[in-house]
Each structure stands twice: as C-alpha cells, then as structure tokens.
Amino acid sequence: MLLDSNKIASHNADLLKSHANKLVFTASEIGETDNIIQKLIDFQIAIPSWALGTGGTRFGRFPGGGEPRSLEEKIEDVGLLHALNNASGAISLHIPWDIPTDYQAIKNLASQHGLKFDAVNSNTFQDQTNQEYTYKYGSLQNVNKAIRKQAIAHNIEVIQQGIALGSESLTVWLADGSCFPGQLNFRKAYQNTLESLEEIYAALPSNWKLFLEYKCAEPNFYSTTVADWGQSYSYVKKLGDKAFTLVDLGHHLPNANIEQIVAILLMEGKLGGFHFNDSKYGDDDLTAGALKPYQLFLIFNELVEGMDARGMNHAKDLGWMIDASHNVKDPMEDLLQSVEAIMIAYAQALLVDRKALEIAQNENDVVKAQEILQNAFRTDVRALVAEARLRSGAALNPVALYRDFAVRQELIKERGTKTVATGL
Ligand code: RM4
Ligand code: MN
Ligand code: MN
C-alpha cells in the first residue's frame, strides 16, 4: 500500500498551527534548533523484517491481520513507515526468512521506497527443513566439526545474499550455550566459536562489518557462549578491524549499566551498532522507551559524547536497528512508537550542555552534573522531532495519520485476516 503525499500534506495542514506554537515555545527554551533538527533529519533507524508481523510468545500468538506475506510486502510496510516518519530508511533482513527470488527486483522496490539494506542476520538458532545437521547442541560452538562447517557455510551464504542486495554488514547472534552444568567445556566452546567466526570473517568483503551480538540467557539457560559485552569484545578484538560488538538493549542481566558498556565499547573502537527495544524482565523486545526512557536517554548521552570525541558521524558510523516483537499491538504502530522514542532520546542527548557537564565533573559537582542531564531529559523535544519530519515531507503525527487513514484496515482488505509473516 502506498501513502499518497497529498494525504500527508492535508494531515500536516490540520496540525500545523498547534505544532508551530509548540515549536516556538521549544525554541525559546533551548535556543538554536536548526542544527538539532538537521541531525534528526539525517538519523535513520533500520526496521527488522521480523517485527512487521505479530511476534507472539511461546504460549501463543494473536495476529491482527494484514501482515506481510512476502519479502516484497515487508519492504512495502517499511516503506510506509518511512513515508510516515522519514526516519526508517532501512530494513534489516533475516536469512533464511527473507531470501529474495529476484535480487534486482527487490533492490528496485527498496529504492522506490527510499530504503537501504542494513545488516543481514544469519540464523543458526533454528533448524531449517532441508538442513543436514541439527543445531540442538549449538552451531558455531558445536563439538561436531561437520555441524560447525554447516553453520559457517550458512553465514557465508548470508554474506553473499547481503552482497547481492547492497548490504554492508552481517549480524551474528548465537543461541549457542548450555542448559545444564557439565554439558559444555566452556574453553572448547569458546575456541570452536572463535575458529568458526574466523572463517566467516575471512569471507567478509573489505567494506563490510561483522557485528557480534551477545545475550546473557535464552534459549540456553545455564550458559551462553557469547553471553555479555566482555565476551563479545574478546571475540571481535581477536577477529580484526571489521568486527564489532552489537548491543541489544534486552540482552543484559537486570540492572546492568548499559550506558557504561556503550561508553567503553565506543572508546575501544569496538561498538558496532544497536538493537533497540525495551524490557522489564528479560529479552522482552518491547517498544523502545516504553519502560525506561531515562536509560535510553543516558545511552544516547554516552553515544553523542563518545562519537563526538572520536569524530564519528552520528547517522552513518554505527548500525542503528530496532529488534522488537509484540503480541498485543499493531506491529506498525509499535515500530512508529519505537522510532519516535529513539529520536526523542537522541534529540535530548544533543541538548546536553557538554561544557558545563565537563566543568561539573572536574569540580566533582555531583548535584550540578545531575541537573544538567535531567534538564536535557526533561525538555519536551517532541516539537523538534515533529519539525524534522515536517521538513522532510513526513507526517507531524505518524500514529494519528496511520489511524486516520485506516492503514491496517486497508492492509487487511488487501492481504486478508489470516496472513502470517515469515519469521519467529
Ligand atoms: C534474538 C536476538 C537476535 C534476533 C533474534 C530473532 O534474541 O536478539 O538479534 O535476530 O532474537
Ligand atoms: Mn537482537
Ligand atoms: Mn533478542
């Protein structure tokens, strides 16, 4: 489904007066705004192909209808999100869920929607029907060399798929680990994983990056072979300059200080990118910013400070991706909310008075330091984020427009009520 630009224009015309008032007020509070608005226009967050359908839980799945039935329809849905917010200009594919039949046609379709291909994801956490060996006891770590070889070959195939689409990075997330003490020799599992990753790394084109995601638990509940940022760092450091750690916000033990992890990885030049989501208990994959917006802001505060210190381009030098899944919301509305929350956190981080913060830190003025951060966090920047959309031809209020034009109902008419997106 295509969203006609007249619809966006008329939606914006209705909201323009109230938006302009808010923007004037915001500008009066923070002073210079154009620089921030331009950074927001440039900032794009990739949508995961697997989040466009209902995710469900292991207990049930309650699809809402109109879900994309093919890769083409997934791209159309991300195109729709991008038309609404001009901030979702990329899609991250999962192989084998999203293998194209005609690469050129898929590339053309994506570029018609203004979309790029962000990292391609391999999948050795499920067995595929035509696969020779099972990953029940792990993939890259497996004690059986033939199984490791199969998993390596799959990752190399994913790189080839990515090359054909114009992607420039591979994300490896391993479900490998063990469920019971004694099941695994940790050192051998590490060594096998490292050797397997080395083979995959050797197949990367020179302009590519490899992102190694970590996760503290699930589906293995005693040990995970890439369990935390330190373990991921240890692998990517050995692999080489094209290997980086990927931080998925839901993959930490409770109360982990994610902003500190981010700051250190960035300082070491080993932060590759993000999977944004939010959680209360585990890898809940809830809407970014739904539970802990202050944490999201603190992460962006470190990102802006650390990227500026290294002279990095905020929009291009890290991989910005969402990894979410949901049972009760319309997936598209959920993704719009996530992107909005990420933009808000980024805008607030851009507001932090860096010089004043540095002085407060040097003077051990703890109270002042907190005031500076919370002052930025408590500034209502929604008008800036909306203005960035307005200037780039997107909607002032994407969720409202999505509802006003009954997008989901249209998709149900087009695709039916009982559609299932490939994925989890
Ligand atoms: C994992 C991890 C990966 C994602 C899969 C579907 O928990 O977050 O990034 O690809 O889920
Ligand atoms: Mn993830
Ligand atoms: Mn996850």
Side-chain angles (χ1 to χ4, degrees), residues 274-289:
F274 274 85
H275 274 177
F276 291 108
N277 49 49
D278 212 340
S279 58
K280 190 159 176 66
Y281 301 104
D283 188 24
D284 305 344
D285 281 337
L286 299 174
T287 324

Side-chain angles (χ1 to χ4, degrees), residues 50 94 97 121 125 173 213 215 248 251 275 283 323 424:
W50 59 99
H94 227 300
W97 297 336
N121 299 262
F125 48 89
W173 170 67
E213 199 171 343
K215 179 167 170 175
D248 181 314
H251 289 193
H275 274 177
D283 188 24
D323 182 1
L424 285 176

Side-chain angles (χ1 to χ4, degrees), residues 24-66:
V24 168
F25 177 74
T26 310
S28 76
E29 292 270 282
I30 64 177
E32 210 283 320
T33 54
D34 275 347
N35 199 8
I36 296 178
I37 293 168
Q38 189 55 50
K39 288 198 163 114
L40 295 174
I41 292 173
D42 296 341
F43 202 75
Q44 299 295 320
I45 300 145
I47 302 296
S49 68
W50 59 99
L52 297 158
T54 306
T57 69
R58 65 197 165 107
F59 297 108
R61 192 170 172 274
F62 304 96

